[in-house]
Amino acid sequence: MWRCLVIEDDRENARYIAEGLLALGHIPILAHDGAEALRRATNESWDVVVLDRMLPGSVDGLSILHTMRSLGLRTPVLVLSALSALDERVKGLKAGGDDYLTKPFAFSELSARLEALVRRSRSGNDVTTLQLGDLSLDLTRRQAQRGARIVVLKPREFRLLAYLMMHPDQALTRTMLLEAVWDYRFDPQTNLIDVQISRLRSKLHGPDETPILHTVRGVGYSLSMQPPSALA
């Protein structure tokens, strides 16, 4: 269970996020105005913050983020914005944001990203290696290994595998993968994800190795030691 501060001036969007978090058993607290949000963000303890980039008045989302970081607050922050340009994402991350999600978004993606942020913050250390079964990914050396076998990856394949490993045992949609790995908005006509998944799967699945990269029918893909039927 997390205490999550949701800073969002759009009340309908805030309610959508809050209802989803409540359904998962978390405690969302809403702040619709920049001044109130700044006060609560800096004076209370939170497991994670969802922060709208654009807020009315003189206190916008990035101002709140700058203030939190200048006070030494390391609470993980997911920045929400209707601004999808790469420059805007860079601004949000440079201001101290831990992740950036553009609107509109699916709640499943929001919750998956929040889970990853909370898990990382609770580990107490910067994660340098991701592990799932006999598959490991060294984020520093940018090297993948399955058992004793080195898996040679191209840069985009590395990013794709890293994202999958950050969300193990979860069914990830093509939209989520396109936005996270390619910074693209969803195009229903593209087969980019399917092609890249096929190439990655051929590298991960050696002879006599347990299949780990699965197609989840009607949803997308999942990295898991379990078959798709066992995924929640």
Side-chain angles (χ1 to χ4, degrees):
M1 179 185 293
W2 324 319
R3 289 191 77 245
C4 178
L5 178 62
V6 180
I7 302 171
E8 169 64 87
D9 65 302
D10 183 323
R11 291 176 183 269
E12 183 176 343
N13 202 36
R15 185 168 60 251
Y16 167 67
I17 295 170
E19 288 175 353
L21 290 173
L22 280 169
L24 293 175
H26 304 304
I27 304 173
I29 305 297
L30 304 183
H32 302 296
D33 139 321
E36 176 198 4
L38 179 60
R39 177 181 59 79
R40 301 203 71 162
T42 55
N43 288 285
E44 299 178 46
S45 178
W46 306 99
D47 293 298
V48 68
V49 173
V50 176
L51 174 63
D52 187 16
R53 165 77 169 80
M54 308 293 287
L55 294 171
S58 58
V59 182
D60 69 357
L62 292 191
S63 297
I64 294 172
L65 191 49
H66 276 301
T67 302
M68 289 177 65
R69 298 311 186 220
S70 67
L71 292 172
L73 298 174
R74 307 314 305 164
T75 309
V77 176
L78 172 65
V79 179
L80 294 179
S81 180
L83 304 173
S84 60
L86 181 59
D87 284 351
E88 292 299 331
R89 294 188 183 210
V90 171
K91 285 180 184 177
L93 296 173
K94 282 189 172 181
D98 298 279
D99 201 353
Y100 192 102
L101 182 61
T102 55
K103 301 177 183 179
F105 55 85
F107 181 77
S108 59
E109 178 172 11
L110 174 73
S111 63
R113 292 191 182 213
L114 291 177
E115 284 172 14
L117 291 179
V118 172
R119 184 168 60 246
R120 190 167 67 214
S121 70
R122 287 180 175 176
S123 73
N125 299 296
D126 291 333
V127 176
T128 59
T129 303
L130 300 174
Q131 186 81 36
L132 181 65
D134 63 350
L135 175 65
S136 63
L137 189 67
D138 188 320
L139 300 178
T140 303
R141 298 169 61 194
R142 301 183 71 81
Q143 184 179 80
Q145 188 168 336
R146 183 129 199 225
R149 179 173 65 88
I150 300 297
V151 181
V152 179
L153 300 174
K154 294 181 178 179
R156 192 70 70 178
E157 292 168 343
F158 178 88
R159 286 186 63 185
L160 177 58
L161 181 58
Y163 188 77
L164 288 162
M165 292 189 74
M166 288 176 186
H167 303 86
D169 302 315
Q170 295 180 29
L172 303 176
T173 67
R174 291 172 176 81
T175 304
M176 293 165 69
L177 295 172
L178 274 171
E179 292 187 354
V181 181
W182 279 267
D183 296 325
Y184 290 172
R185 301 303 294 170
F186 181 61
D187 176 358
Q189 303 303 316
T190 186
N191 68 343
L192 177 63
I193 291 294
D194 306 276
V195 170
Q196 291 295 327
I197 287 286
S198 178
R199 290 174 181 169
L200 182 59
R201 181 182 279 136
S202 69
K203 293 185 176 185
L204 295 179
H205 295 176
D208 302 320
E209 290 179 338
T210 303
I212 194 171
L213 181 50
H214 308 285
T215 298
V216 182
R217 190 177 299 277
V219 181
Y221 299 98
S222 176
L223 195 72
S224 176
M225 298 304 293
Q226 307 176 68
S229 58
L231 299 178

